Structure formats: structure tokens, C-alpha cells
Amino acid sequence: MAVTTSTETMVAEVMAELAALEDPKARAVNERHGDDHGVNLSKLRAVAKRLKTQQELACRLWETGDTAARLLALLICRPKAFERDELDAMLREARTPKVHDWLVNYVVKKNPHAEELRQTWSADPDPVVASAGWALTTERVAKKPEGLDLAGLLDVIEAEMKDAPDRLQWAMNHCLAQIGIEHAEYRTRALAIGERLEVLKDYPTSPGCTSPFAPIWITEMVRRQDAK
């Protein structure tokens, strides 16, 4: 019981610390992006750095359902410690974009069940869940493409990306760009799909940043690679 009590105390202390870091201006900015928390992420990372890896505390913070607490949990957890079904349940609970993205990028990608989850999620009828499958597919396109049917992925993107919900569309577009960037033999087709579908063509892009419109993105990244 001592461990549990100590963890309960730590959860209470951490929640109080997160509450003290709450900034109304940060919340207003985050809420415009669908994230319901007001903690500056640099300050959140500083808390995580101090706490270091603590799996039990991470699990308890996740259970609070609080977005800032869940983000902190993802920074201090042990990614390989989660079972497949735990990660599946966590993803389905992660409805804010930042929690969803950090869960996929910081935890699932480092977990031994990542490939199995990639296949399961990609076929899920929930577009937010499916977007996680596509994010994992994009990772494989870039780092471990062996065994992937790249032509088949392009077929699906060509048929479904235009009318996909925002989160899923964004993930499919990233996959399209990655195929075009990393695999020269599919570049012409990837560029043509992007040009024809015009997904994210008018997306507002800050000065100095690359547009997410696939033809521009692919062309710029290939130019940078060739310049090295």
C-alpha cells in the first residue's frame, strides 16, 4: 500500500503543479487547434525532465483524463512497457490532436506492437484511429519500406484522400509526400496524384516553412537532398 499511497501523493502534487502552470493565453491558442489545455509545452517538458521515467506515475496521470497530465504521462512513461490492447485503448481515448500525436510518435512508434497496431488502425472505420495507422505507415515508408505495397498505398490515397476527414486526410497526404520524397521510382506518380487532387494546395504556410501541398513538399525535400 505504501507504493500506491506514494504514487497517489505524487499524482496530486503533479496535478497541482500543472494547475499552477495554466496560462489563459496558452489555452486560447491551444483551443484553436483543438487542444484543451493551457500549459506551455516547454514548461511541461521541464517538469518531465525533472520527474524522469516513472511508468506507474505515468499510468495514473493518464487515468485522470486531463490533457496536460496525459501529455506529461507520455513524456515520462516507458514506451515498451505497454501491451498492445493498452495502446489501442489509449489511442481511442486520445481525442485531442496533441495527445494523439504524442502518443503515436513518442510511445507507439517505440513499442514492439507498433506494426500490428499499424495494420489494425489503418483499417479502422474511425478516421481519427485510421490516421494513426497512416502515421505509422509513413514512418515505415521512410525508415523500413521493405514489405510495404507502395503502389497499393498510392492507389488508396488516390481513391480516398480527397474526401477524407481532416485528420485522416492530413495523415494520408503526409504518406503521399513521403513516398514521393523517399522512393524515386514512385515520385512521378506521387506528384501527379498531388497535382490532381489539390489537397492542402491553399493551406496557409508561414514564411520559411514548406507547404504541406504534396507536389511542393516533395520537390523541396528532394531539392534539399540533392543539394547535400
Side-chain angles (χ1 to χ4, degrees):
M1 290 298 291
V3 174
T4 306
T5 307
S6 137
T7 304
E8 295 289 347
T9 303
M10 284 200 70
V11 170
E13 289 173 354
V14 171
M15 294 303 289
E17 185 173 3
L18 292 176
L21 291 173
E22 176 77 22
D23 176 357
K25 289 182 181 175
R27 178 174 284 275
V29 171
N30 290 332
E31 285 184 344
R32 288 203 292 274
H33 299 102
D35 291 307
D36 57 348
H37 75 94
V39 179
N40 176 285
L41 294 181
S42 296
K43 292 179 180 178
L44 190 77
R45 289 180 187 279
V47 174
K49 189 174 181 181
R50 190 188 77 238
L51 292 172
K52 299 187 171 67
T53 303
Q54 297 194 51
Q55 181 68 8
E56 185 180 358
L57 177 59
C59 291
R60 293 309 313 276
L61 288 172
W62 180 272
E63 288 169 5
T64 67
D66 178 81
T67 294
R70 285 187 162 183
L71 291 172
L72 181 59
L74 296 172
L75 293 174
I76 67 169
C77 72
R78 192 174 296 110
K80 293 179 181 176
F82 293 103
E83 296 298 328
R84 177 202 175 282
D85 290 349
E86 284 181 287
L87 290 174
D88 184 65
M90 289 167 73
L91 186 88
R92 293 172 193 280
E93 291 173 11
R95 305 316 287 183
T96 64
K98 187 66 71 178
V99 172
H100 181 278
D101 291 344
W102 282 20
L103 175 60
V104 172
N105 288 299
Y106 296 170
V107 181
V108 179
K109 284 180 180 179
K110 299 174 183 176
N111 184 275
H113 301 289
E115 176 57 21
E116 187 184 350
L117 289 168
R118 180 188 77 80
Q119 296 179 36
T120 300
W121 290 343
S122 295
D124 199 277
D126 181 332
V128 176
V129 174
S131 74
W134 278 92
L136 294 173
T137 298
T138 301
E139 174 88 349
R140 273 203 59 191
V141 166
K143 297 183 177 177
K144 195 180 175 185
E146 299 78 21
L148 281 181
D149 178 6
L150 297 177
L153 288 173
L154 290 174
D155 288 343
V156 176
I157 291 167
E158 190 167 23
E160 299 178 12
M161 182 171 74
K162 181 80 171 177
D163 299 318
D166 287 353
R167 294 283 293 284
L168 179 54
Q169 185 184 71
W170 188 273
M172 293 174 96
N173 182 71
H174 191 179
C175 190
L176 172 66
Q178 205 69 55
I179 291 172
I181 293 163
E182 301 288 344
H183 301 278
E185 67 273 30
Y186 292 102
R187 189 168 298 147
T188 300
R189 186 177 174 205
L191 288 165
I193 290 171
E195 291 285 3
R196 187 164 60 258
L197 298 184
E198 299 188 335
V199 167
L200 301 174
K201 186 174 184 178
D202 300 319
Y203 191 84
T205 306
S206 304
C209 295
T210 303
S211 168
F213 178 47
I216 294 176
W217 190 354
I218 293 167
T219 303
E220 174 59 18
M221 292 299 123
V222 171
R223 183 193 68 75
R224 291 184 195 179
Q225 288 173 358
D226 292 345
K228 286 182 180 177

